[in-house]
């Protein structure tokens, strides 16, 4: 296999992800509606209750809409990553994952391609959200739109790797719905997406500590700084480290046999 | 000359042995039947050959490539039709085949040419723009066979590929796969529990409860079992313990 073969395979995975996304139009609208509801409704209600002081990377006082925009971008990435993991469980259950795994290319490359492809599919969603958010006075500098791109990709792949790692332990599709509740909501609410962490610290020290070690928090902060043309070195290091760690773990523990055994009577038998 | 060598293959699920030192060979260009009741270990064997499951004991070689030492080279030699459909229902016939070609690193020009050839061979060229969801079961199977052959493998594995199809479609599919052996020189491993799909001269590996019970032509299996028909030989050789048995 030459590098060209690897590239062709990646293009194939990307094309399939994009086609599936295009065919599922409701997925695009729901991915837009969710953060926009938070931006338009939730932020309107909370802007009066939640004052934001001047914090990095902002140079002045900001509205609550501006504050939560990076968190909502991360929310798009989080849901997309978990949906992608969900599709892996679905693919494994329906058998179409077997087509991917029967490629002569290394398994780690195939899984990485799937992670990267699903993140790339999320990029138009992120920029569509930013375009709409512009009308609600979320107006970062133009350079921020460019700087945000690598931050969005890094965060998206990291969240995808976490999702893939978790989905490796899921035998059947039904079990994944519960995991979504135990992963998405805690990750989102225990982060700096909706409120600065010092606010959390005022209420609860242990919750603050949980938020501080949540990789999602660092993804949000990486995007927040990037949107204003700044680099948060700590966030970049943590997101990059988590990306490598969870990708490695996901590839190591990935076992299609697990889903097959799960389908056997009593969970232990012939698939 | 043997294209496939399965050597002392054993596999364990938690609390159960699925394969017990399975060994057999498949001659190049032959239609080789893998016969056994449900639970015999056929799907497990296929999952091992196709590297979906990790080999625990033993080895498999296809065209000289060992699954343990050269899995990528081995996978490039294999095309597979699974028991359950693995087509993407939301994509068109052509898009499904194209995805498969990409995963095998084929260039765009070659993919286009090979997809056209294989779809023409299964008489599905006119349906190439149709979504798979719109196709009936028989047509989906044909598409899966075409897809499995896009990258020109030397071995075609079919795991109970006729399950759920009407008798006429089953017979047609069986005939088509046999023609691939005769005309294209493709080696076929056809897993089934339907004895009517096996011809007297076909080499047969008969499995039961993870073990090989017989490994010879269908006629010879009957002789060895001392029965007149393969149905009786099958019933005799798979009579012990449980097992649903074959359907004549």
């Amino acid at each position: 296999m030459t590098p060209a073969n690897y590239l062709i395979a990646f293009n194939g995975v990307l094309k399939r992800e994009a086609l599936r996304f295009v065919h599922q139009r409701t997925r695009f609208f729901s991915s837009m509606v969710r953060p926009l509801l938070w931006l338009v409704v939730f932020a309107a209600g909370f802007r009066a209750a939640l004052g934001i002081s001047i914090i990095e990377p902002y140079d002045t006082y900001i509205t609550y809409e501006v504050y939560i925009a990076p968190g909502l971008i991360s929310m798009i990435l989080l849901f997309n990553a978990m949906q992608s993991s969900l599709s892996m469980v679905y693919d494994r259950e329906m058998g179409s994952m077997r087509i991917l795994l029967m490629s002569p290319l290394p398994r780690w490359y195939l899984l990485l391609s799937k992670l990267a492809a699903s993140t790339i599919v999320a990029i138009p969603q992120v920029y569509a959200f930013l375009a709409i958010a512009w009308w609600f006075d979320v107006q970062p500098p133009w350079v921020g739109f460019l700087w945000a791109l690598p931050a969005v990709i890094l965060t998206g792949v990291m969240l995808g790797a976490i999702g893939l790692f978790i989905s490796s332990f899921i035998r059947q599709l039904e079990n994944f719905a519960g995991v979504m509740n135990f992963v998405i909501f805690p990750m989102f609410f225990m982060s700096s997406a909706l409120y600065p962490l010092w606010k959390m610290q005022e209420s609860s020290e242990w919750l603050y500590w949980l938020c501080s070690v949540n990789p999602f928090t660092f993804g949000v902060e990486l995007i927040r700084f990037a949107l204003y043309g700044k680099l948060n070195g700590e966030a970049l290091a943590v997101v990059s480290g988590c990306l490598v760690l969870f990708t490695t773990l996901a590839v190591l523990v990935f076992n299609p046999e697990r889903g097959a055994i799960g389908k056997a009577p009593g969970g232990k038998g012939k698939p | 000359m043997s294209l496939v060598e399965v050597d002392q293959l054993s596999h364990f699920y938690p609390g159960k042995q699925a394969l017990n030192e399975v060994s057999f060979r498949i001659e190049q260009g032959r239609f080789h039947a893998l016969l056994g009741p449900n639970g015999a270990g056929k799907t497990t064997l296929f999952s091992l050959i196709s590297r979906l499951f990790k080999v625990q004991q033993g080895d498999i070689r296809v065209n000289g490539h060992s699954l343990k030492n050269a899995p990528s080279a081995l996978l490039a030699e294999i095309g597979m039709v699974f028991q359950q459909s693995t087509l993407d229902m939301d994509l068109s016939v052509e898009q499904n085949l194209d995805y498969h070609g990409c995963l095998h690193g084929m260039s765009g020009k070659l993919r286009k040419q090979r997809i056209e050839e294989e779809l023409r061979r299964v008489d599905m060229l006119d349906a190439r723009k149709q979504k798979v969801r719109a196709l009936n079961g028989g047509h989906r199977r044909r598409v899966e066979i075409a897809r499995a052959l896009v990258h020109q493998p030397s071995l075609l594995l079919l795991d109970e590929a006729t399950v759920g199809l009407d008798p006429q479609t089953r017979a047609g599919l069986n005939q088509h796969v046999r023609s691939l052996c005769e005309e294209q020189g493709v080696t076929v491993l056809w897993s089934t529990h339907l004895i009517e799909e096996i011809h007297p001269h076909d080499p047969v590996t008969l499995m039961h409860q993870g073990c090989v019970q017989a490994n010879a032509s269908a006629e010879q299996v009957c002789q060895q079992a001392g029965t007149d028909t393969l149905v009786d030989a099958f019933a005799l050789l798979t009579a012990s313990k449980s097992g649903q048995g074959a359907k004549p």
Side-chain angles (χ1 to χ4, degrees):
Chain A
M1 285 281 174
T2 64
N5 297 130
Y6 278 73
L7 197 61
I8 289 169
F10 174 71
N11 281 338
V13 175
L14 179 60
K15 200 157 76 179
R16 179 178 181 261
E17 287 293 318
L19 282 169
R20 279 169 66 93
F21 184 78
V22 168
H23 290 170
Q24 298 169 348
R25 288 184 190 87
T26 51
R27 188 174 151 192
F28 178 77
F29 290 116
S30 68
S31 73
M32 282 294 102
V33 166
R34 205 179 297 119
L36 285 174
L37 264 177
W38 282 87
L39 184 73
V40 179
V41 182
F42 182 86
F46 266 70
R47 71 156 63 176
L50 208 69
I52 307 285
S53 61
I54 298 174
I55 52 167
E56 277 267 53
Y58 309 107
D59 298 325
T60 181
Y61 288 102
I62 51 162
T63 61
Y64 187 55
E65 283 88 341
V66 171
Y67 179 79
I68 64 168
L72 298 180
I73 290 171
S74 305
M75 179 202 238
I76 294 172
L77 296 172
L78 180 63
F79 272 86
N80 185 76
M82 292 304 151
Q83 193 141 13
S84 174
S85 304
L86 185 77
S87 86
M88 284 209 194
V89 176
Y90 175 81
D91 281 358
R92 200 175 61 194
E93 224 175 81
M94 299 310 289
S96 41
M97 187 62 142
R98 295 173 171 198
I99 295 303
L100 179 75
L101 298 176
M102 277 197 68
S103 162
L105 294 167
R107 193 164 281 182
W108 63 263
Y109 179 78
L110 297 168
L111 293 175
L112 258 182
S113 297
K114 188 119 171 66
L115 282 180
S118 65
T119 305
I120 290 171
V121 166
I123 291 172
Q125 299 172 54
V126 166
Y127 280 92
F129 169 76
L130 278 171
I132 298 170
W134 186 270
W135 298 104
F136 293 91
D137 292 330
V138 179
Q139 298 175 344
W142 287 106
V143 69
F145 286 88
L146 194 64
W147 279 107
L149 184 61
V152 163
I153 292 173
L154 266 180
T155 306
V157 177
M158 177 196 71
L159 293 171
I162 293 173
L164 178 60
F165 175 66
I166 293 166
S167 74
S168 298
F169 296 99
I170 310 298
R171 283 185 176 173
Q172 286 175 302
L173 195 58
E174 304 89 69
N175 302 339
F176 199 78
V179 174
M180 297 278 277
N181 286 332
F182 286 99
V183 176
I184 288 188
F185 293 127
M187 262 189 133
F188 183 64
F189 289 116
M190 286 195 283
S191 76
S192 58
L194 298 177
Y195 17 72
L197 291 193
W198 61 264
K199 284 264 184 198
M200 186 63 90
Q201 196 173 15
E202 282 178 356
S203 307
S204 165
E205 196 64 41
W206 69 270
L207 267 177
Y208 167 76
W209 182 83
L210 280 177
C211 296
S212 317
V213 295
N214 181 359
F216 187 74
T217 295
F218 294 94
V220 171
E221 292 309 309
L222 187 65
I223 293 170
R224 188 188 307 285
F225 276 71
L227 267 176
Y228 288 84
K230 295 178 181 175
L231 176 69
N232 184 327
E234 185 192 15
L236 176 65
V238 174
V239 170
S240 306
C242 286
L243 190 157
V244 173
L245 174 71
F246 283 104
T247 304
T248 308
L249 286 175
V251 171
L252 286 176
V253 301
F254 184 80
N255 180 10
E257 199 166 343
R258 196 187 301 273
I261 293 168
K263 273 188 264 179
K268 289 181 178 182
K270 177 199 168 292
Chain B
M1 183 191 155
S2 297
L3 182 85
V4 182
E5 296 167 55
V6 178
D7 190 18
Q8 298 283 304
L9 203 61
S10 293
H11 195 76
F12 301 84
Y13 293 123
K16 185 187 176 184
Q17 182 166 14
L19 295 178
N20 184 8
E21 297 189 350
V22 169
S23 296
F24 64 93
R25 284 159 194 262
I26 303 174
E27 299 303 311
Q28 191 155 20
R30 295 299 301 267
F31 180 100
H32 190 111
L34 183 65
L35 182 63
N38 293 334
K42 304 187 297 290
T43 300
T44 302
L45 178 65
F46 273 52
S47 298
L48 288 164
I49 297 177
S50 55
R51 203 186 58 159
L52 292 171
F53 292 0
K54 197 176 175 187
V55 171
Q56 296 168 350
Q57 284 177 26
D59 197 8
I60 299 162
R61 279 178 295 278
V62 177
N63 214 4
H65 304 298
S66 158
L67 189 58
K68 279 186 171 172
N69 302 326
S72 292
L74 181 139
L75 284 175
E77 300 274 352
I78 293 176
M80 184 150 175
V81 178
F82 293 94
Q83 193 173 344
Q84 289 175 315
S85 176
T86 53
L87 293 168
D88 199 321
M89 297 293 166
D90 292 322
L91 302 189
S92 72
V93 167
E94 194 173 42
Q95 286 165 344
N96 267 282
L97 269 64
D98 190 64
Y99 175 58
H100 180 83
C102 285
L103 290 176
H104 282 264
M106 296 166 67
S107 70
K109 194 178 166 190
L110 182 60
R111 287 202 306 274
K112 197 176 171 197
Q113 179 202 326
R114 289 291 305 138
I115 288 168
E116 203 171 311
E117 282 172 10
E118 291 307 328
L119 285 179
R120 185 175 287 117
R121 205 193 306 281
V122 293
D123 202 19
M124 291 293 291
L125 193 58
D126 292 340
R128 64 180 165 182
K129 300 288 180 197
Q130 275 189 41
K131 286 234 177 109
V132 170
R133 198 179 291 284
L135 304 177
N136 64 37
H139 285 171
R140 285 181 194 173
R141 278 301 185 205
R142 284 204 247 167
V143 172
E144 289 197 277
I145 291 173
R147 180 181 64 180
L149 294 170
V150 161
H151 62 288
Q152 296 182 292
S154 52
L155 173 66
L156 179 62
L157 304 171
L158 297 104
D159 186 10
E160 307 221 17
T162 55
V163 165
L165 301 179
D166 61 77
Q168 200 179 354
T169 310
R170 275 209 315 258
L173 208 63
N174 186 281
Q175 193 49 48
H176 173 70
V177 172
R178 286 176 184 280
S179 73
L180 290 172
C181 298
E182 289 156 17
E183 294 161 19
Q184 307 293 317
V186 176
T187 306
V188 171
L189 179 59
W190 176 278
S191 156
T192 186
H193 62 275
L194 301 170
I195 289 176
E196 64 184 13
E197 293 178 346
I198 300 171
H199 294 181
H201 299 295
D202 287 339
V204 173
T205 298
L206 199 158
M207 289 182 67
H208 180 49
Q209 295 183 337
C211 299
V212 173
Q213 301 289 339
N215 197 15
S217 71
E219 286 173 327
Q220 287 168 332
V221 170
C222 293
Q223 284 171 11
Q224 287 166 12
T227 58
D228 293 333
T229 65
L230 190 58
V231 175
D232 292 338
F234 185 95
L236 191 71
L237 293 167
T238 61
S240 65
K241 299 176 191 170
S242 57
Q244 280 181 247
K247 293 172 187 171

